[in-house]
Amino acid sequence: MSLSRRTVLTAVAALAAAPVVAPAGTARPAGDGIALAADPVAGIRPSAVLHARHRFDLRSGAVDLFGGELPLKQGTVHQQVAFDPVTGLAYVTQLISKGRRLADEPAAVPDGERGRRGDLCVSEVAPDGTVRAVMYLRGVGHGGGLGVEHVDGRPWLWIETDAAPVTTGFAYGKRIGRVAFAADAIVDAGSALIEVFDPVPGSSRTTPSLDVDHGRIGVRHGPQDAEEYRVYDLDAFKRRNFTPLYAFPAHYRTQAWCLYGDLVYQNEGSAYGPTNPSPGNSWWNVYDVTTGLMIERTFNTTALDLSHRETEAIAVRPTPAGPQLVFGFATQEPGPRRMALYGITTTTDGTGDQVPWTDLAYDSQVYTPNSGHYVPQYRQLGGRVYLHLRLSRADNAPWTNGETVLTLPPHIRPHRTQGMVGQVTGSGLSDSLTVRWEVQTDGALRVYDQRKFTGWIGLDAGYFVS
């Protein structure tokens, strides 16, 4: 199938972004509204015109890239997406569906076995959402990292490989592999068709992200709960010079991540459920690779109306309007999963960053704020959540010891119970004007005081979510 091409030279000016002033930090320099176009983007953009600190505005509106939820060839959750920088075609990783039998297999593979072995399907997707071709990679990993390089007219996939099979859960790759995409091919880990790179020997959960625009490759590696990001020069990496330009620890559980210039974009979150109702717990975390600092943590409010919304995939792709941050959600549960992708092209210089206060739900029939300035609110800065409120009981009844004033949404609940000190009205009290609060793992915000006083209680304090 031939592809029409469109030049992006007229969009070169749009590719430049204002620089971000990054704070000093502790990363160690190791070694001293754009929808998918009807036609793919063509032509390699000159990396010199792209500023290494190109930063996307995560608070701007995102556009729906496919106009809805896209079915793929497997019924499993899509893990990661990446784009060919020349043709604009998308490549998507999924575990091979349960019960699927490949051409060289004597029988269908039992439920769960694909995940325990690390058997992946990579789909090639056209801009109109059509799945053009698929390729199968067995024993490589879970598919959380992916990059695409266009060499000699062919797409080459950068992906995890050499997964160690497990008896429960999922197998993850230990090394990085590079393999040419070929329709209907079945390639096993260890095959000579996969060029293997081992930048962090003995590591686990190793995933790549390719930044062709800036000539870099990023690697995230384990062990679990102690992951680290490393950034390398791509040409040096290919020569197996594994001295990273930067290395720094990762924070928060991640579903997918990508490197672009001097920034790493990481998304986290889990599916809607009884303990994670809408608006869910989907977050973006942004790192400055030159300092190792997380410079932004923003709650993702895209597509809150999805009936099933599971955070998956994040990548940067070229468009005529400039680079676009693409991210998505796995949908449809139960049933064959689908992929919903969205894009942000708007940029920011980061100088006006503000974390807004967000209202908290409370029972207005029971509690009354002292004024509009004291409605219960929160905001999150990194791993710390700040609460602000001043309430009275609507019935003027005494406060009870251990009373639950409100319940926090799942995405800001702590992993352990934490105490805070609040304020109380001075009316009718001759002793301490403080009161004890607790925020608990189920989200309950409780006040503890045995004096049975009336009047208002307040809170201006914070706690850690991790």
Side-chain angles (χ1 to χ4, degrees):
M1 178 177 179
S2 63
L3 295 175
S4 60
R5 292 193 171 189
R6 166 171 39 218
T7 180
V8 295
L9 295 179
T10 57
V12 165
L15 296 174
V20 174
V21 179
T26 58
R28 54 184 191 278
D32 256 313
I34 299 295
L36 277 170
D39 298 314
V41 174
I44 299 176
R45 284 109 16 250
S47 60
V49 305
L50 293 170
H51 197 285
R53 292 190 184 276
H54 187 108
R55 182 172 173 183
F56 297 97
D57 185 356
L58 301 180
R59 296 183 179 88
S60 66
V63 295
D64 186 338
L65 297 192
F66 289 112
E69 302 167 45
L70 182 68
L72 299 170
K73 291 299 184 182
Q74 310 299 307
T76 54
V77 171
H78 76 280
Q79 299 295 322
Q80 180 60 305
V81 63
F83 295 86
D84 187 312
V86 175
T87 67
L89 294 172
Y91 294 83
V92 184
T93 58
Q94 296 173 277
L95 287 174
I96 299 173
S97 291
K98 62 182 180 181
R100 183 69 55 91
R101 177 185 176 184
L102 302 187
D104 64 345
E105 294 173 340
V109 175
D111 187 16
E113 187 65 19
R114 296 293 191 187
R116 293 190 291 270
R117 298 192 318 201
D119 294 354
L120 296 182
C121 172
V122 181
S123 297
E124 181 183 75
V125 184
D128 65 358
T130 302
V131 178
R132 293 163 37 101
V134 296
M135 179 180 186
Y136 300 100
L137 298 170
R138 292 183 299 208
V140 295
H142 196 59
L146 182 65
V148 182
E149 184 183 22
H150 195 98
V151 179
D152 296 331
R154 302 182 67 185
W156 288 77
L157 308 178
W158 288 81
I159 198 164
E160 64 189 285
T161 191
D162 297 348
V166 295
T167 56
T168 60
F170 299 106
Y172 296 90
K174 297 180 292 184
R175 300 175 183 88
I176 303 300
R178 180 177 180 265
V179 60
F181 181 86
D184 300 320
I186 303 171
V187 180
D188 292 308
S191 166
L193 295 175
I194 303 178
E195 185 179 9
V196 178
F197 302 85
D198 193 11
V200 192
S203 192
S204 60
R205 296 175 174 262
T206 304
T207 56
S209 177
L210 200 63
D211 178 5
V212 175
D213 284 340
H214 300 99
R216 290 176 172 180
I217 184 172
V219 172
R220 178 185 168 108
H221 68 97
Q224 187 175 9
D225 298 326
E227 287 90 352
E228 180 186 59
Y229 288 112
R230 295 189 178 191
V231 178
Y232 303 86
D233 176 83
L234 180 58
D235 288 339
F237 192 91
K238 288 180 178 180
R239 297 192 303 269
R240 289 177 170 73
N241 176 353
F242 298 134
T243 302
L245 302 173
Y246 306 101
F248 54 95
H251 301 286
Y252 300 103
R253 177 177 176 268
T254 185
Q255 293 295 91
W257 67 281
C258 68
L259 168 70
Y260 195 71
D262 286 342
L263 302 175
V264 160
Y265 295 86
Q266 170 188 304
N267 63 9
E268 61 168 304
S270 50
Y272 284 162
T275 62
N276 184 40
S278 179
N281 59 1
S282 184
W283 289 85
W284 284 301
N285 303 312
V286 184
Y287 299 81
D288 181 337
V289 304
T290 68
T291 65
L293 295 179
M294 188 192 304
I295 60 174
E296 183 176 357
R297 179 169 166 79
T298 295
F299 189 63
N300 187 346
T301 59
T302 307
L304 295 179
D305 57 341
L306 290 173
S307 59
H308 183 85
R309 180 177 178 267
E310 184 173 352
T311 306
E312 301 288 350
I314 190 166
V316 175
R317 77 177 186 105
T319 78
Q324 182 180 62
L325 184 70
V326 176
F327 61 95
F329 303 97
T331 69
Q332 303 293 323
E333 171 65 23
R337 299 300 187 91
R338 296 192 175 197
M339 176 178 72
L341 291 184
Y342 304 87
I344 293 174
T345 307
T346 306
T347 61
T348 177
D349 64 6
T351 57
D353 284 353
Q354 296 290 333
V355 179
W357 288 94
T358 301
D359 288 351
L360 288 165
Y362 67 99
D363 190 340
S364 60
Q365 301 298 312
V366 178
Y367 306 109
T368 302
N370 277 20
S371 72
H373 297 294
Y374 293 105
V375 172
Q377 295 179 318
Y378 80 93
R379 69 175 178 176
Q380 182 168 9
L381 299 172
R384 189 165 177 82
V385 174
Y386 295 88
L387 300 177
H388 170 74
L389 60 88
R390 187 174 293 182
L391 298 172
S392 300
R393 288 191 61 94
D395 59 4
N396 294 317
W399 294 93
T400 59
N401 190 42
E403 184 169 340
T404 299
V405 176
L406 56 82
T407 301
L408 301 171
H411 65 275
I412 58 169
R413 293 176 184 175
H415 294 289
R416 58 181 176 83
T417 297
Q418 295 175 58
M420 296 171 288
V421 176
Q423 316 86 38
V424 300
T425 179
S427 177
L429 294 176
S430 58
D431 51 1
S432 174
L433 298 183
T434 61
V435 65
R436 180 170 175 265
W437 292 82
E438 274 191 5
V439 55
Q440 303 184 340
T441 57
D442 62 358
L445 180 63
R446 295 189 173 129
V447 60
Y448 291 89
D449 196 285
Q450 298 177 335
R451 292 177 288 180
K452 297 183 179 180
F453 64 90
T454 60
W456 59 261
I457 58 172
L459 181 62
D460 286 282
Y463 62 92
F464 292 97
V465 292
S466 59

